[in-house]
Amino acid sequence: MSDIPAAEEAQRSSTMESIKSFASGGVGGIAAVLVGHPFDLTKTRLQTAAPGTYTGAMDVVRKALARDGATGLYRGVVPPLLGVTPIFAVSFWAYDTSKLLILSLTPNRTSKELSIPELATAGFLSAIPSTLVTAPVERAKVLLQVQGQGQGGTQYKGVFDVVKHLYREGGIRSVYRGSAATIARDGPGSAAYFAAYEVTKKMLTPAGQSPTELNLGAIIVAGGTAGVAMWAIAIPPDVLKSRIQSAPTGTYSGFMDCARKTIAADGVAALWRGLGPAMARAFPANAATFLGVEASKKLLDKFL
C-alpha cells in the first residue's frame, strides 16, 4: 500500500513538470515573435516575390516602411502571436516528453544524460505534434505577409478573415495546406535546434554549477546558436512551405512538385532565398526564446 502514495506523487510531479514545460514554452515563443517578426516578414517576402521585385533584404524593409510605415514590419504578426503560445508550448512540452520517452525505452542505460543523437531524436519528435498548430498559423501568417507587397488592395482584414476564407475555399484541407512541408522543415530543424542548445549550454556552464541555476550568458549564446543551427538546414523546405501556402489553389500538387517547379523557374539558388534575414533573425529571436523559457521555468519552480 505504501507504493500507492509514492506512485501518485510521481504522477503529480510528472504532470506539474509537463505544465511548466508547456507554460514556459509559450512565454519563450512570445519573446521570439516580438524580437523576430520583422526579420521573418522580410524572409517571407523575399521567398515569395516574383524575381526582380526586390534587390535584397534592405530593399524589402525600405519598401515596407515606405508603404505602411514602421507598423508595416509587423504585418501578419497577429497569427504568430495568437498561435505562438500553443506552438512553442507544445514544442517544448513535446521535447521534454520525448526525452522522458527515450529514457523509459532504455531502462538499462548507465547514464541518465542523453547523448547528442538522443537529444536530436527528441527534438525531431517534438515537431510532429506541434505541426497541428504550426501549419494553419503559418498559412495565415504567410498570406497576410505577402499581400502587403503588391500594389492591389488588402485582400484579408485579419487572421480570422484569412481562416474563414480558407475554410470556405477548401475546408480544413485548405487551412492545413503546407503541413508536409512544415514537418520537412521543423523535423530536422528541431533536431538541430534542441541538440545545439543543450550541447552549447553545457559547454558554457561552469563546472559544478547547478543545472537549475540561471546562467544568462550561456542561455543567450546557446539559444542564439540553436536558432542558427536550425535555420542553416531549414531554409530550403521553408522556401517551399512559403510558396505552397501563398500560391493560388492548384499551383502545386505537393512538396516535390513545388521543389521541381521552383528549381525549373528560378534555379537551385531560389531554395536559399531569405537565408540572410532568417540568419539575422535566428540569433536574437532564439536567444530571447530560451531566455524566456528558462526564466519563466525558474519562476514557476519557485511558486509551483
Side-chain angles (χ1 to χ4, degrees), residues 18-290:
S18 293
I19 291 171
K20 290 176 184 177
S21 295
F22 192 87
S24 60
V27 172
I30 291 170
V33 171
L34 294 177
V35 172
H37 190 78
F39 297 98
D40 190 58
L41 178 136
T42 303
K43 170 184 68 65
T44 301
R45 291 191 173 181
L46 281 174
Q47 290 174 343
T48 57
T53 304
Y54 302 114
T55 58
M58 291 309 298
D59 189 41
V60 176
V61 174
R62 188 163 53 248
K63 287 177 178 175
L65 290 172
R67 181 184 171 92
D68 299 317
T71 58
L73 295 177
Y74 279 87
R75 183 185 286 270
V77 74
V78 175
L81 272 179
L82 290 176
V84 79
T85 300
I87 287 172
F88 277 77
V90 170
S91 179
F92 278 84
W93 164 80
Y95 173 61
D96 287 344
T97 301
S98 296
K99 289 194 291 183
L100 293 175
L101 177 63
I102 291 170
L103 289 173
S104 69
L105 292 174
T106 53
N108 298 322
R109 62 190 300 128
T110 56
S111 171
K112 292 297 183 183
E113 189 172 305
L114 271 62
S115 65
I116 295 176
E118 288 172 329
L119 292 170
T121 299
F124 187 97
L125 292 174
S126 74
I128 297 172
S130 63
T131 296
L132 292 171
V133 184
T134 305
V137 169
E138 291 266 318
R139 175 95 154 105
K141 181 195 74 174
V142 166
L143 287 173
L144 285 170
Q145 286 179 334
V146 301
Q147 74 177 10
Q149 65 188 355
Q151 297 302 314
T154 300
Q155 184 178 355
Y156 302 112
K157 299 172 185 174
V159 58
F160 296 111
D161 189 40
V162 175
V163 174
K164 184 170 64 178
H165 177 86
L166 292 175
Y167 189 79
R168 194 185 310 125
E169 176 188 72
I172 198 73
R173 185 184 182 91
S174 179
V175 175
Y176 273 87
R177 186 199 292 176
S179 293
T182 302
I183 291 179
R185 179 194 69 177
D186 290 352
S190 294
Y193 186 67
F194 285 108
Y197 177 74
E198 300 279 14
V199 171
T200 307
K201 183 185 173 188
K202 183 179 178 182
M203 286 173 53
L204 296 175
T205 300
Q209 181 175 314
S210 168
T212 60
E213 189 177 333
L214 285 181
N215 183 327
L216 295 183
I219 292 168
I220 290 170
V221 174
T225 300
V228 171
M230 174 179 176
W231 284 105
I233 63 174
I235 278 291
D238 186 63
V239 169
L240 300 178
K241 180 197 72 65
S242 293
R243 291 193 172 206
I244 289 169
Q245 291 182 323
S246 64
T249 302
T251 304
Y252 306 112
S253 62
F255 184 76
M256 293 309 298
D257 183 50
C258 181
R260 189 164 53 248
K261 288 178 178 175
T262 296
I263 293 171
D266 302 322
V268 176
L271 296 178
W272 296 95
R273 274 190 193 166
L275 178 64
M279 296 304 273
R281 170 188 181 275
F283 197 98
N286 290 286
T289 297
F290 280 98

